[in-house]
Amino acid sequence: INEYKKNAPYPVIFIREKDSGIANAMNKGINNSNGKWVHVLNSDDYYYSSYCLEEIFNNKDLDEYDVLAFPIVVRDEMSGKFTQPWIPFHNKKIEHYNFPHTGLIIKRDFYFKCGLYDEKFKLVADAVFGATNFPISKFKIFESPVIVIAPDSGVSNRFSFTRSRELFIFTVSIYKGALKYKIKYLILNFYRDIFLILKDI
């Protein structure tokens, strides 16, 4: 990275230090950013192509939006196969935002207007941020291009008691869906946890 910085055609800020979790690390990056838009690329994810961001920002009609939501694909690390693209969608009836976090590009000013990621949540801070702030954002959903490949070995694909507890708190007290949708969400996550436990065994 230090070698890359020497010839990079833009400023590169490299920070490597201990943090208190994923949300803290993301907030640190946002606080040190200085561009108009922020994209969080997790440590095990990578861009779908070397030109996907250029393709996006060749579009000059994005300034009116706070949030851009793009598809991602998940890579099965065992087989090397890719899932069908996870295309973001919004269910307006119940205000449900099914946006893959690593497919989001968010205006830097929007973060500072609404607040950064809640560091009390170690593993679901992205979901908390979305449920709290997407309803007041001006967002645009794109069906292409796919911008990120996310290996299925990431922290969100491993069972964790912390994640289960945080998802329960999120679903009951923060997620704004009607009661039947909250129950459905809890049941789906319960079965997902069982699957992840069995997969680890």
Side-chain angles (χ1 to χ4, degrees), residues 37 59 61-71 88 90 99 103-105 137-144:
W37 296 94
N59 183 345
D61 300 322
L62 301 177
D63 278 357
E64 64 180 296
Y65 300 105
D66 304 306
V67 176
L68 312 175
F70 291 90
H90 171 224
F99 295 173
L104 294 173
I105 301 176
S137 73
K138 186 166 186 182
F139 62 85
K140 183 173 177 63
I141 294 172
F142 295 80
E143 294 191 0
S144 66

mmCIF file with all atom_site columns, all heavy atoms in Angstrom, residues 37 59 61-71 88 90 99 103-105 137-144:
data_model
loop_
_atom_site.group_PDB
_atom_site.id
_atom_site.type_symbol
_atom_site.label_atom_id
_atom_site.label_alt_id
_atom_site.label_comp_id
_atom_site.label_asym_id
_atom_site.label_entity_id
_atom_site.label_seq_id
_atom_site.pdbx_PDB_ins_code
_atom_site.Cartn_x
_atom_site.Cartn_y
_atom_site.Cartn_z
_atom_site.occupancy
_atom_site.B_iso_or_equiv
_atom_site.pdbx_formal_charge
_atom_site.auth_seq_id
_atom_site.auth_comp_id
_atom_site.auth_asym_id
_atom_site.auth_atom_id
_atom_site.pdbx_PDB_model_num
ATOM 1   N N   . TRP A 1 37  ? -18.613 10.813 -2.129  1.00 0.00 ? 37  TRP A N   1
ATOM 2   C CA  . TRP A 1 37  ? -19.289 9.544  -1.890  1.00 0.00 ? 37  TRP A CA  1
ATOM 3   C C   . TRP A 1 37  ? -18.385 8.617  -1.089  1.00 0.00 ? 37  TRP A C   1
ATOM 4   O O   . TRP A 1 37  ? -17.160 8.691  -1.186  1.00 0.00 ? 37  TRP A O   1
ATOM 5   C CB  . TRP A 1 37  ? -19.641 8.867  -3.228  1.00 0.00 ? 37  TRP A CB  1
ATOM 6   C CG  . TRP A 1 37  ? -20.610 9.639  -4.058  1.00 0.00 ? 37  TRP A CG  1
ATOM 7   C CD1 . TRP A 1 37  ? -20.318 10.539 -5.048  1.00 0.00 ? 37  TRP A CD1 1
ATOM 8   C CD2 . TRP A 1 37  ? -22.032 9.589  -3.982  1.00 0.00 ? 37  TRP A CD2 1
ATOM 9   N NE1 . TRP A 1 37  ? -21.460 11.049 -5.589  1.00 0.00 ? 37  TRP A NE1 1
ATOM 10  C CE2 . TRP A 1 37  ? -22.539 10.484 -4.959  1.00 0.00 ? 37  TRP A CE2 1
ATOM 11  C CE3 . TRP A 1 37  ? -22.942 8.874  -3.199  1.00 0.00 ? 37  TRP A CE3 1
ATOM 12  C CZ2 . TRP A 1 37  ? -23.898 10.686 -5.169  1.00 0.00 ? 37  TRP A CZ2 1
ATOM 13  C CZ3 . TRP A 1 37  ? -24.305 9.074  -3.402  1.00 0.00 ? 37  TRP A CZ3 1
ATOM 14  C CH2 . TRP A 1 37  ? -24.774 9.964  -4.375  1.00 0.00 ? 37  TRP A CH2 1
ATOM 15  N N   . ASN A 1 59  ? -22.040 8.646  -14.853 1.00 0.00 ? 59  ASN A N   1
ATOM 16  C CA  . ASN A 1 59  ? -23.407 9.170  -14.836 1.00 0.00 ? 59  ASN A CA  1
ATOM 17  C C   . ASN A 1 59  ? -23.399 10.464 -14.018 1.00 0.00 ? 59  ASN A C   1
ATOM 18  O O   . ASN A 1 59  ? -23.086 10.456 -12.830 1.00 0.00 ? 59  ASN A O   1
ATOM 19  C CB  . ASN A 1 59  ? -24.342 8.130  -14.196 1.00 0.00 ? 59  ASN A CB  1
ATOM 20  C CG  . ASN A 1 59  ? -25.795 8.565  -14.197 1.00 0.00 ? 59  ASN A CG  1
ATOM 21  O OD1 . ASN A 1 59  ? -26.106 9.738  -14.421 1.00 0.00 ? 59  ASN A OD1 1
ATOM 22  N ND2 . ASN A 1 59  ? -26.681 7.631  -13.927 1.00 0.00 ? 59  ASN A ND2 1
ATOM 23  N N   . ASP A 1 61  ? -25.972 12.302 -13.233 1.00 0.00 ? 61  ASP A N   1
ATOM 24  C CA  . ASP A 1 61  ? -27.269 12.622 -12.626 1.00 0.00 ? 61  ASP A CA  1
ATOM 25  C C   . ASP A 1 61  ? -27.451 11.964 -11.267 1.00 0.00 ? 61  ASP A C   1
ATOM 26  O O   . ASP A 1 61  ? -28.545 11.534 -10.917 1.00 0.00 ? 61  ASP A O   1
ATOM 27  C CB  . ASP A 1 61  ? -28.405 12.171 -13.568 1.00 0.00 ? 61  ASP A CB  1
ATOM 28  C CG  . ASP A 1 61  ? -28.334 12.862 -14.912 1.00 0.00 ? 61  ASP A CG  1
ATOM 29  O OD1 . ASP A 1 61  ? -27.993 14.058 -14.925 1.00 0.00 ? 61  ASP A OD1 1
ATOM 30  O OD2 . ASP A 1 61  ? -28.627 12.219 -15.931 1.00 0.00 ? 61  ASP A OD2 1
ATOM 31  N N   . LEU A 1 62  ? -26.391 11.875 -10.491 1.00 0.00 ? 62  LEU A N   1
ATOM 32  C CA  . LEU A 1 62  ? -26.464 11.186 -9.205  1.00 0.00 ? 62  LEU A CA  1
ATOM 33  C C   . LEU A 1 62  ? -26.503 12.138 -8.009  1.00 0.00 ? 62  LEU A C   1
ATOM 34  O O   . LEU A 1 62  ? -26.818 11.723 -6.905  1.00 0.00 ? 62  LEU A O   1
ATOM 35  C CB  . LEU A 1 62  ? -25.263 10.239 -9.051  1.00 0.00 ? 62  LEU A CB  1
ATOM 36  C CG  . LEU A 1 62  ? -25.125 9.147  -10.111 1.00 0.00 ? 62  LEU A CG  1
ATOM 37  C CD1 . LEU A 1 62  ? -23.846 8.347  -9.862  1.00 0.00 ? 62  LEU A CD1 1
ATOM 38  C CD2 . LEU A 1 62  ? -26.343 8.227  -10.109 1.00 0.00 ? 62  LEU A CD2 1
ATOM 39  N N   . ASP A 1 63  ? -26.180 13.399 -8.235  1.00 0.00 ? 63  ASP A N   1
ATOM 40  C CA  . ASP A 1 63  ? -26.021 14.327 -7.121  1.00 0.00 ? 63  ASP A CA  1
ATOM 41  C C   . ASP A 1 63  ? -27.289 14.513 -6.298  1.00 0.00 ? 63  ASP A C   1
ATOM 42  O O   . ASP A 1 63  ? -27.217 14.865 -5.120  1.00 0.00 ? 63  ASP A O   1
ATOM 43  C CB  . ASP A 1 63  ? -25.548 15.692 -7.625  1.00 0.00 ? 63  ASP A CB  1
ATOM 44  C CG  . ASP A 1 63  ? -24.045 15.726 -7.858  1.00 0.00 ? 63  ASP A CG  1
ATOM 45  O OD1 . ASP A 1 63  ? -23.392 14.703 -7.570  1.00 0.00 ? 63  ASP A OD1 1
ATOM 46  O OD2 . ASP A 1 63  ? -23.541 16.746 -8.332  1.00 0.00 ? 63  ASP A OD2 1
ATOM 47  N N   . GLU A 1 64  ? -28.450 14.287 -6.894  1.00 0.00 ? 64  GLU A N   1
ATOM 48  C CA  . GLU A 1 64  ? -29.697 14.499 -6.158  1.00 0.00 ? 64  GLU A CA  1
ATOM 49  C C   . GLU A 1 64  ? -29.969 13.398 -5.126  1.00 0.00 ? 64  GLU A C   1
ATOM 50  O O   . GLU A 1 64  ? -30.842 13.543 -4.275  1.00 0.00 ? 64  GLU A O   1
ATOM 51  C CB  . GLU A 1 64  ? -30.877 14.580 -7.130  1.00 0.00 ? 64  GLU A CB  1
ATOM 52  C CG  . GLU A 1 64  ? -31.119 13.289 -7.906  1.00 0.00 ? 64  GLU A CG  1
ATOM 53  C CD  . GLU A 1 64  ? -32.307 13.416 -8.853  1.00 0.00 ? 64  GLU A CD  1
ATOM 54  O OE1 . GLU A 1 64  ? -33.434 13.603 -8.370  1.00 0.00 ? 64  GLU A OE1 1
ATOM 55  O OE2 . GLU A 1 64  ? -32.073 13.332 -10.085 1.00 0.00 ? 64  GLU A OE2 1
ATOM 56  N N   . TYR A 1 65  ? -29.204 12.294 -5.182  1.00 0.00 ? 65  TYR A N   1
ATOM 57  C CA  . TYR A 1 65  ? -29.457 11.158 -4.291  1.00 0.00 ? 65  TYR A CA  1
ATOM 58  C C   . TYR A 1 65  ? -28.519 11.152 -3.097  1.00 0.00 ? 65  TYR A C   1
ATOM 59  O O   . TYR A 1 65  ? -27.410 11.682 -3.138  1.00 0.00 ? 65  TYR A O   1
ATOM 60  C CB  . TYR A 1 65  ? -29.319 9.843  -5.061  1.00 0.00 ? 65  TYR A CB  1
ATOM 61  C CG  . TYR A 1 65  ? -30.294 9.730  -6.214  1.00 0.00 ? 65  TYR A CG  1
ATOM 62  C CD1 . TYR A 1 65  ? -29.861 9.894  -7.530  1.00 0.00 ? 65  TYR A CD1 1
ATOM 63  C CD2 . TYR A 1 65  ? -31.633 9.484  -5.982  1.00 0.00 ? 65  TYR A CD2 1
ATOM 64  C CE1 . TYR A 1 65  ? -30.746 9.822  -8.586  1.00 0.00 ? 65  TYR A CE1 1
ATOM 65  C CE2 . TYR A 1 65  ? -32.537 9.402  -7.036  1.00 0.00 ? 65  TYR A CE2 1
ATOM 66  C CZ  . TYR A 1 65  ? -32.090 9.579  -8.331  1.00 0.00 ? 65  TYR A CZ  1
ATOM 67  O OH  . TYR A 1 65  ? -32.974 9.514  -9.369  1.00 0.00 ? 65  TYR A OH  1
ATOM 68  N N   . ASP A 1 66  ? -29.004 10.532 -2.018  1.00 0.00 ? 66  ASP A N   1
ATOM 69  C CA  . ASP A 1 66  ? -28.184 10.311 -0.822  1.00 0.00 ? 66  ASP A CA  1
ATOM 70  C C   . ASP A 1 66  ? -27.572 8.916  -0.819  1.00 0.00 ? 66  ASP A C   1
ATOM 71  O O   . ASP A 1 66  ? -26.467 8.720  -0.307  1.00 0.00 ? 66  ASP A O   1
ATOM 72  C CB  . ASP A 1 66  ? -29.033 10.449 0.451   1.00 0.00 ? 66  ASP A CB  1
ATOM 73  C CG  . ASP A 1 66  ? -29.731 11.783 0.547   1.00 0.00 ? 66  ASP A CG  1
ATOM 74  O OD1 . ASP A 1 66  ? -29.028 12.804 0.459   1.00 0.00 ? 66  ASP A OD1 1
ATOM 75  O OD2 . ASP A 1 66  ? -30.965 11.813 0.706   1.00 0.00 ? 66  ASP A OD2 1
ATOM 76  N N   . VAL A 1 67  ? -28.311 7.950  -1.369  1.00 0.00 ? 67  VAL A N   1
ATOM 77  C CA  . VAL A 1 67  ? -27.915 6.536  -1.301  1.00 0.00 ? 67  VAL A CA  1
ATOM 78  C C   . VAL A 1 67  ? -28.089 5.906  -2.671  1.00 0.00 ? 67  VAL A C   1
ATOM 79  O O   . VAL A 1 67  ? -29.148 6.043  -3.301  1.00 0.00 ? 67  VAL A O   1
ATOM 80  C CB  . VAL A 1 67  ? -28.775 5.769  -0.265  1.00 0.00 ? 67  VAL A CB  1
ATOM 81  C CG1 . VAL A 1 67  ? -28.434 4.284  -0.262  1.00 0.00 ? 67  VAL A CG1 1
ATOM 82  C CG2 . VAL A 1 67  ? -28.611 6.369  1.134   1.00 0.00 ? 67  VAL A CG2 1
ATOM 83  N N   . LEU A 1 68  ? -27.048 5.207  -3.140  1.00 0.00 ? 68  LEU A N   1
ATOM 84  C CA  . LEU A 1 68  ? -27.105 4.431  -4.379  1.00 0.00 ? 68  LEU A CA  1
ATOM 85  C C   . LEU A 1 68  ? -26.984 2.964  -4.005  1.00 0.00 ? 68  LEU A C   1
ATOM 86  O O   . LEU A 1 68  ? -26.037 2.577  -3.319  1.00 0.00 ? 68  LEU A O   1
ATOM 87  C CB  . LEU A 1 68  ? -25.961 4.830  -5.314  1.00 0.00 ? 68  LEU A CB  1
ATOM 88  C CG  . LEU A 1 68  ? -25.734 6.333  -5.536  1.00 0.00 ? 68  LEU A CG  1
ATOM 89  C CD1 . LEU A 1 68  ? -24.483 6.551  -6.398  1.00 0.00 ? 68  LEU A CD1 1
ATOM 90  C CD2 . LEU A 1 68  ? -26.955 6.983  -6.166  1.00 0.00 ? 68  LEU A CD2 1
ATOM 91  N N   . ALA A 1 69  ? -27.928 2.151  -4.427  1.00 0.00 ? 69  ALA A N   1
ATOM 92  C CA  . ALA A 1 69  ? -27.942 0.730  -4.059  1.00 0.00 ? 69  ALA A CA  1
ATOM 93  C C   . ALA A 1 69  ? -27.725 -0.129 -5.305  1.00 0.00 ? 69  ALA A C   1
ATOM 94  O O   . ALA A 1 69  ? -28.515 -0.069 -6.253  1.00 0.00 ? 69  ALA A O   1
ATOM 95  C CB  . ALA A 1 69  ? -29.267 0.362  -3.388  1.00 0.00 ? 69  ALA A CB  1
ATOM 96  N N   . PHE A 1 70  ? -26.651 -0.931 -5.281  1.00 0.00 ? 70  PHE A N   1
ATOM 97  C CA  . PHE A 1 70  ? -26.263 -1.755 -6.428  1.00 0.00 ? 70  PHE A CA  1
ATOM 98  C C   . PHE A 1 70  ? -26.275 -3.230 -6.061  1.00 0.00 ? 70  PHE A C   1
ATOM 99  O O   . PHE A 1 70  ? -26.143 -3.603 -4.883  1.00 0.00 ? 70  PHE A O   1
ATOM 100 C CB  . PHE A 1 70  ? -24.857 -1.366 -6.901  1.00 0.00 ? 70  PHE A CB  1
ATOM 101 C CG  . PHE A 1 70  ? -24.768 -0.008 -7.517  1.00 0.00 ? 70  PHE A CG  1
ATOM 102 C CD1 . PHE A 1 70  ? -24.486 1.105  -6.730  1.00 0.00 ? 70  PHE A CD1 1
ATOM 103 C CD2 . PHE A 1 70  ? -24.985 0.167  -8.870  1.00 0.00 ? 70  PHE A CD2 1
ATOM 104 C CE1 . PHE A 1 70  ? -24.409 2.360  -7.299  1.00 0.00 ? 70  PHE A CE1 1
ATOM 105 C CE2 . PHE A 1 70  ? -24.902 1.434  -9.446  1.00 0.00 ? 70  PHE A CE2 1
ATOM 106 C CZ  . PHE A 1 70  ? -24.625 2.530  -8.644  1.00 0.00 ? 70  PHE A CZ  1
ATOM 107 N N   . PRO A 1 71  ? -26.374 -4.100 -7.072  1.00 0.00 ? 71  PRO A N   1
ATOM 108 C CA  . PRO A 1 71  ? -26.316 -5.539 -6.818  1.00 0.00 ? 71  PRO A CA  1
ATOM 109 C C   . PRO A 1 71  ? -24.912 -5.996 -6.422  1.00 0.00 ? 71  PRO A C   1
ATOM 110 O O   . PRO A 1 71  ? -23.914 -5.358 -6.777  1.00 0.00 ? 71  PRO A O   1
ATOM 111 C CB  . PRO A 1 71  ? -26.718 -6.178 -8.164  1.00 0.00 ? 71  PRO A CB  1
ATOM 112 C CG  . PRO A 1 71  ? -27.224 -5.073 -9.012  1.00 0.00 ? 71  PRO A CG  1
ATOM 113 C CD  . PRO A 1 71  ? -26.621 -3.808 -8.493  1.00 0.00 ? 71  PRO A CD  1
ATOM 114 N N   . PRO A 1 88  ? -30.892 -5.179 -5.044  1.00 0.00 ? 88  PRO A N   1
ATOM 115 C CA  . PRO A 1 88  ? -31.589 -4.496 -3.958  1.00 0.00 ? 88  PRO A CA  1
ATOM 116 C C   . PRO A 1 88  ? -33.041 -4.203 -4.321  1.00 0.00 ? 88  PRO A C   1
ATOM 117 O O   . PRO A 1 88  ? -33.363 -3.973 -5.496  1.00 0.00 ? 88  PRO A O   1
ATOM 118 C CB  . PRO A 1 88  ? -30.793 -3.201 -3.771  1.00 0.00 ? 88  PRO A CB  1
ATOM 119 C CG  . PRO A 1 88  ? -30.034 -3.010 -5.036  1.00 0.00 ? 88  PRO A CG  1
ATOM 120 C CD  . PRO A 1 88  ? -29.799 -4.364 -5.611  1.00 0.00 ? 88  PRO A CD  1
ATOM 121 N N   . HIS A 1 90  ? -36.935 -2.441 -2.512  1.00 0.00 ? 90  HIS A N   1
ATOM 122 C CA  . HIS A 1 90  ? -37.604 -1.729 -1.424  1.00 0.00 ? 90  HIS A CA  1
ATOM 123 C C   . HIS A 1 90  ? -39.076 -2.109 -1.429  1.00 0.00 ? 90  HIS A C   1
ATOM 124 O O   . HIS A 1 90  ? -39.757 -1.951 -2.444  1.00 0.00 ? 90  HIS A O   1
ATOM 125 C CB  . HIS A 1 90  ? -37.448 -0.216 -1.637  1.00 0.00 ? 90  HIS A CB  1
ATOM 126 C CG  . HIS A 1 90  ? -38.263 0.617  -0.698  1.00 0.00 ? 90  HIS A CG  1
ATOM 127 N ND1 . HIS A 1 90  ? -38.997 1.716  -1.101  1.00 0.00 ? 90  HIS A ND1 1
ATOM 128 C CD2 . HIS A 1 90  ? -38.462 0.503  0.646   1.00 0.00 ? 90  HIS A CD2 1
ATOM 129 C CE1 . HIS A 1 90  ? -39.601 2.248  -0.067  1.00 0.00 ? 90  HIS A CE1 1
ATOM 130 N NE2 . HIS A 1 90  ? -39.300 1.535  1.008   1.00 0.00 ? 90  HIS A NE2 1
ATOM 131 N N   . PHE A 1 99  ? -31.270 -3.997 0.965   1.00 0.00 ? 99  PHE A N   1
ATOM 132 C CA  . PHE A 1 99  ? -30.106 -3.472 0.261   1.00 0.00 ? 99  PHE A CA  1
ATOM 133 C C   . PHE A 1 99  ? -28.863 -4.183 0.797   1.00 0.00 ? 99  PHE A C   1
ATOM 134 O O   . PHE A 1 99  ? -28.597 -4.122 2.002   1.00 0.00 ? 99  PHE A O   1
ATOM 135 C CB  . PHE A 1 99  ? -29.927 -1.971 0.526   1.00 0.00 ? 99  PHE A CB  1
ATOM 136 C CG  . PHE A 1 99  ? -31.021 -1.077 0.002   1.00 0.00 ? 99  PHE A CG  1
ATOM 137 C CD1 . PHE A 1 99  ? -31.020 0.273  0.331   1.00 0.00 ? 99  PHE A CD1 1
ATOM 138 C CD2 . PHE A 1 99  ? -32.036 -1.563 -0.806  1.00 0.00 ? 99  PHE A CD2 1
ATOM 139 C CE1 . PHE A 1 99  ? -32.008 1.120  -0.147  1.00 0.00 ? 99  PHE A CE1 1
ATOM 140 C CE2 . PHE A 1 99  ? -33.034 -0.725 -1.289  1.00 0.00 ? 99  PHE A CE2 1
ATOM 141 C CZ  . PHE A 1 99  ? -33.023 0.628  -0.951  1.00 0.00 ? 99  PHE A CZ  1
ATOM 142 N N   . GLY A 1 103 ? -23.072 -3.262 -1.287  1.00 0.00 ? 103 GLY A N   1
ATOM 143 C CA  . GLY A 1 103 ? -23.479 -2.708 -2.579  1.00 0.00 ? 103 GLY A CA  1
ATOM 144 C C   . GLY A 1 103 ? -23.947 -1.261 -2.485  1.00 0.00 ? 103 GLY A C   1
ATOM 145 O O   . GLY A 1 103 ? -24.444 -0.711 -3.465  1.00 0.00 ? 103 GLY A O   1
ATOM 146 N N   . LEU A 1 104 ? -23.787 -0.649 -1.305  1.00 0.00 ? 104 LEU A N   1
ATOM 147 C CA  . LEU A 1 104 ? -24.260 0.720  -1.098  1.00 0.00 ? 104 LEU A CA  1
ATOM 148 C C   . LEU A 1 104 ? -23.138 1.736  -1.271  1.00 0.00 ? 104 LEU A C   1
ATOM 149 O O   . LEU A 1 104 ? -22.031 1.549  -0.762  1.00 0.00 ? 104 LEU A O   1
ATOM 150 C CB  . LEU A 1 104 ? -24.836 0.874  0.314   1.00 0.00 ? 104 LEU A CB  1
ATOM 151 C CG  . LEU A 1 104 ? -26.102 0.075  0.625   1.00 0.00 ? 104 LEU A CG  1
ATOM 152 C CD1 . LEU A 1 104 ? -26.446 0.204  2.098   1.00 0.00 ? 104 LEU A CD1 1
ATOM 153 C CD2 . LEU A 1 104 ? -27.260 0.551  -0.235  1.00 0.00 ? 104 LEU A CD2 1
ATOM 154 N N   . ILE A 1 105 ? -23.445 2.787  -1.979  1.00 0.00 ? 105 ILE A N   1
ATOM 155 C CA  . ILE A 1 105 ? -22.564 3.950  -2.058  1.00 0.00 ? 105 ILE A CA  1
ATOM 156 C C   . ILE A 1 105 ? -23.367 5.114  -1.484  1.00 0.00 ? 105 ILE A C   1
ATOM 157 O O   . ILE A 1 105 ? -24.450 5.441  -1.985  1.00 0.00 ? 105 ILE A O   1
ATOM 158 C CB  . ILE A 1 105 ? -22.117 4.234  -3.501  1.00 0.00 ? 105 ILE A CB  1
ATOM 159 C CG1 . ILE A 1 105 ? -21.370 3.017  -4.063  1.00 0.00 ? 105 ILE A CG1 1
ATOM 160 C CG2 . ILE A 1 105 ? -21.240 5.468  -3.566  1.00 0.00 ? 105 ILE A CG2 1
ATOM 161 C CD1 . ILE A 1 105 ? -20.974 3.151  -5.533  1.00 0.00 ? 105 ILE A CD1 1
ATOM 162 N N   . SER A 1 137 ? -33.985 9.134  3.423   1.00 0.00 ? 137 SER A N   1
ATOM 163 C CA  . SER A 1 137 ? -33.019 9.386  2.355   1.00 0.00 ? 137 SER A CA  1
ATOM 164 C C   . SER A 1 137 ? -33.714 9.468  1.001   1.00 0.00 ? 137 SER A C   1
ATOM 165 O O   . SER A 1 137 ? -34.843 9.002  0.827   1.00 0.00 ? 137 SER A O   1
ATOM 166 C CB  . SER A 1 137 ? -31.988 8.249  2.305   1.00 0.00 ? 137 SER A CB  1
ATOM 167 O OG  . SER A 1 137 ? -32.569 7.070  1.768   1.00 0.00 ? 137 SER A OG  1
ATOM 168 N N   . LYS A 1 138 ? -33.023 10.048 0.054   1.00 0.00 ? 138 LYS A N   1
ATOM 169 C CA  . LYS A 1 138 ? -33.428 9.942  -1.341  1.00 0.00 ? 138 LYS A CA  1
ATOM 170 C C   . LYS A 1 138 ? -32.502 8.921  -1.962  1.00 0.00 ? 138 LYS A C   1
ATOM 171 O O   . LYS A 1 138 ? -31.291 9.151  -2.065  1.00 0.00 ? 138 LYS A O   1
ATOM 172 C CB  . LYS A 1 138 ? -33.322 11.285 -2.048  1.00 0.00 ? 138 LYS A CB  1
ATOM 173 C CG  . LYS A 1 138 ? -33.889 11.239 -3.467  1.00 0.00 ? 138 LYS A CG  1
ATOM 174 C CD  . LYS A 1 138 ? -34.102 12.614 -4.062  1.00 0.00 ? 138 LYS A CD  1
ATOM 175 C CE  . LYS A 1 138 ? -34.815 12.477 -5.417  1.00 0.00 ? 138 LYS A CE  1
ATOM 176 N NZ  . LYS A 1 138 ? -34.988 13.803 -6.053  1.00 0.00 ? 138 LYS A NZ  1
ATOM 177 N N   . PHE A 1 139 ? -33.040 7.755  -2.293  1.00 0.00 ? 139 PHE A N   1
ATOM 178 C CA  . PHE A 1 139 ? -32.202 6.661  -2.771  1.00 0.00 ? 139 PHE A CA  1
ATOM 179 C C   . PHE A 1 139 ? -32.579 6.269  -4.189  1.00 0.00 ? 139 PHE A C   1
ATOM 180 O O   . PHE A 1 139 ? -33.675 6.555  -4.666  1.00 0.00 ? 139 PHE A O   1
ATOM 181 C CB  . PHE A 1 139 ? -32.302 5.453  -1.841  1.00 0.00 ? 139 PHE A CB  1
ATOM 182 C CG  . PHE A 1 139 ? -33.686 4.866  -1.736  1.00 0.00 ? 139 PHE A CG  1
ATOM 183 C CD1 . PHE A 1 139 ? -34.141 3.935  -2.661  1.00 0.00 ? 139 PHE A CD1 1
ATOM 184 C CD2 . PHE A 1 139 ? -34.538 5.240  -0.703  1.00 0.00 ? 139 PHE A CD2 1
ATOM 185 C CE1 . PHE A 1 139 ? -35.416 3.384  -2.568  1.00 0.00 ? 139 PHE A CE1 1
ATOM 186 C CE2 . PHE A 1 139 ? -35.811 4.712  -0.599  1.00 0.00 ? 139 PHE A CE2 1
ATOM 187 C CZ  . PHE A 1 139 ? -36.246 3.786  -1.532  1.00 0.00 ? 139 PHE A CZ  1
ATOM 188 N N   . LYS A 1 140 ? -31.640 5.596  -4.852  1.00 0.00 ? 140 LYS A N   1
ATOM 189 C CA  . LYS A 1 140 ? -31.888 5.057  -6.196  1.00 0.00 ? 140 LYS A CA  1
ATOM 190 C C   . LYS A 1 140 ? -31.383 3.632  -6.235  1.00 0.00 ? 140 LYS A C   1
ATOM 191 O O   . LYS A 1 140 ? -30.270 3.344  -5.789  1.00 0.00 ? 140 LYS A O   1
ATOM 192 C CB  . LYS A 1 140 ? -31.185 5.905  -7.262  1.00 0.00 ? 140 LYS A CB  1
ATOM 193 C CG  . LYS A 1 140 ? -31.467 5.447  -8.701  1.00 0.00 ? 140 LYS A CG  1
ATOM 194 C CD  . LYS A 1 140 ? -30.884 6.419  -9.700  1.00 0.00 ? 140 LYS A CD  1
ATOM 195 C CE  . LYS A 1 140 ? -31.090 5.938  -11.153 1.00 0.00 ? 140 LYS A CE  1
ATOM 196 N NZ  . LYS A 1 140 ? -32.514 5.841  -11.506 1.00 0.00 ? 140 LYS A NZ  1
ATOM 197 N N   . ILE A 1 141 ? -32.231 2.734  -6.729  1.00 0.00 ? 141 ILE A N   1
ATOM 198 C CA  . ILE A 1 141 ? -31.893 1.324  -6.858  1.00 0.00 ? 141 ILE A CA  1
ATOM 199 C C   . ILE A 1 141 ? -31.469 1.033  -8.299  1.00 0.00 ? 141 ILE A C   1
ATOM 200 O O   . ILE A 1 141 ? -32.134 1.449  -9.247  1.00 0.00 ? 141 ILE A O   1
ATOM 201 C CB  . ILE A 1 141 ? -33.099 0.442  -6.466  1.00 0.00 ? 141 ILE A CB  1
ATOM 202 C CG1 . ILE A 1 141 ? -33.407 0.597  -4.970  1.00 0.00 ? 141 ILE A CG1 1
ATOM 203 C CG2 . ILE A 1 141 ? -32.851 -1.019 -6.808  1.00 0.00 ? 141 ILE A CG2 1
ATOM 204 C CD1 . ILE A 1 141 ? -34.683 -0.089 -4.531  1.00 0.00 ? 141 ILE A CD1 1
ATOM 205 N N   . PHE A 1 142 ? -30.352 0.323  -8.421  1.00 0.00 ? 142 PHE A N   1
ATOM 206 C CA  . PHE A 1 142 ? -29.834 -0.050 -9.738  1.00 0.00 ? 142 PHE A CA  1
ATOM 207 C C   . PHE A 1 142 ? -29.860 -1.573 -9.877  1.00 0.00 ? 142 PHE A C   1
ATOM 208 O O   . PHE A 1 142 ? -29.525 -2.285 -8.931  1.00 0.00 ? 142 PHE A O   1
ATOM 209 C CB  . PHE A 1 142 ? -28.392 0.430  -9.904  1.00 0.00 ? 142 PHE A CB  1
ATOM 210 C CG  . PHE A 1 142 ? -28.217 1.917  -9.899  1.00 0.00 ? 142 PHE A CG  1
ATOM 211 C CD1 . PHE A 1 142 ? -28.190 2.624  -8.705  1.00 0.00 ? 142 PHE A CD1 1
ATOM 212 C CD2 . PHE A 1 142 ? -28.082 2.620  -11.091 1.00 0.00 ? 142 PHE A CD2 1
ATOM 213 C CE1 . PHE A 1 142 ? -28.024 4.001  -8.694  1.00 0.00 ? 142 PHE A CE1 1
ATOM 214 C CE2 . PHE A 1 142 ? -27.915 3.998  -11.091 1.00 0.00 ? 142 PHE A CE2 1
ATOM 215 C CZ  . PHE A 1 142 ? -27.893 4.685  -9.888  1.00 0.00 ? 142 PHE A CZ  1
ATOM 216 N N   . GLU A 1 143 ? -30.242 -2.062 -11.047 1.00 0.00 ? 143 GLU A N   1
ATOM 217 C CA  . GLU A 1 143 ? -30.200 -3.503 -11.308 1.00 0.00 ? 143 GLU A CA  1
ATOM 218 C C   . GLU A 1 143 ? -28.864 -3.925 -11.893 1.00 0.00 ? 143 GLU A C   1
ATOM 219 O O   . GLU A 1 143 ? -28.567 -5.114 -12.002 1.00 0.00 ? 143 GLU A O   1
ATOM 220 C CB  . GLU A 1 143 ? -31.352 -3.902 -12.219 1.00 0.00 ? 143 GLU A CB  1
ATOM 221 C CG  . GLU A 1 143 ? -32.711 -3.720 -11.558 1.00 0.00 ? 143 GLU A CG  1
ATOM 222 C CD  . GLU A 1 143 ? -33.845 -4.350 -12.344 1.00 0.00 ? 143 GLU A CD  1
ATOM 223 O OE1 . GLU A 1 143 ? -33.572 -4.938 -13.415 1.00 0.00 ? 143 GLU A OE1 1
ATOM 224 O OE2 . GLU A 1 143 ? -34.997 -4.259 -11.889 1.00 0.00 ? 143 GLU A OE2 1
ATOM 225 N N   . SER A 1 144 ? -28.052 -2.969 -12.297 1.00 0.00 ? 144 SER A N   1
ATOM 226 C CA  . SER A 1 144 ? -26.693 -3.215 -12.784 1.00 0.00 ? 144 SER A CA  1
ATOM 227 C C   . SER A 1 144 ? -25.921 -1.908 -12.643 1.00 0.00 ? 144 SER A C   1
ATOM 228 O O   . SER A 1 144 ? -26.525 -0.835 -12.556 1.00 0.00 ? 144 SER A O   1
ATOM 229 C CB  . SER A 1 144 ? -26.708 -3.685 -14.243 1.00 0.00 ? 144 SER A CB  1
ATOM 230 O OG  . SER A 1 144 ? -27.175 -2.647 -15.090 1.00 0.00 ? 144 SER A OG  1
#
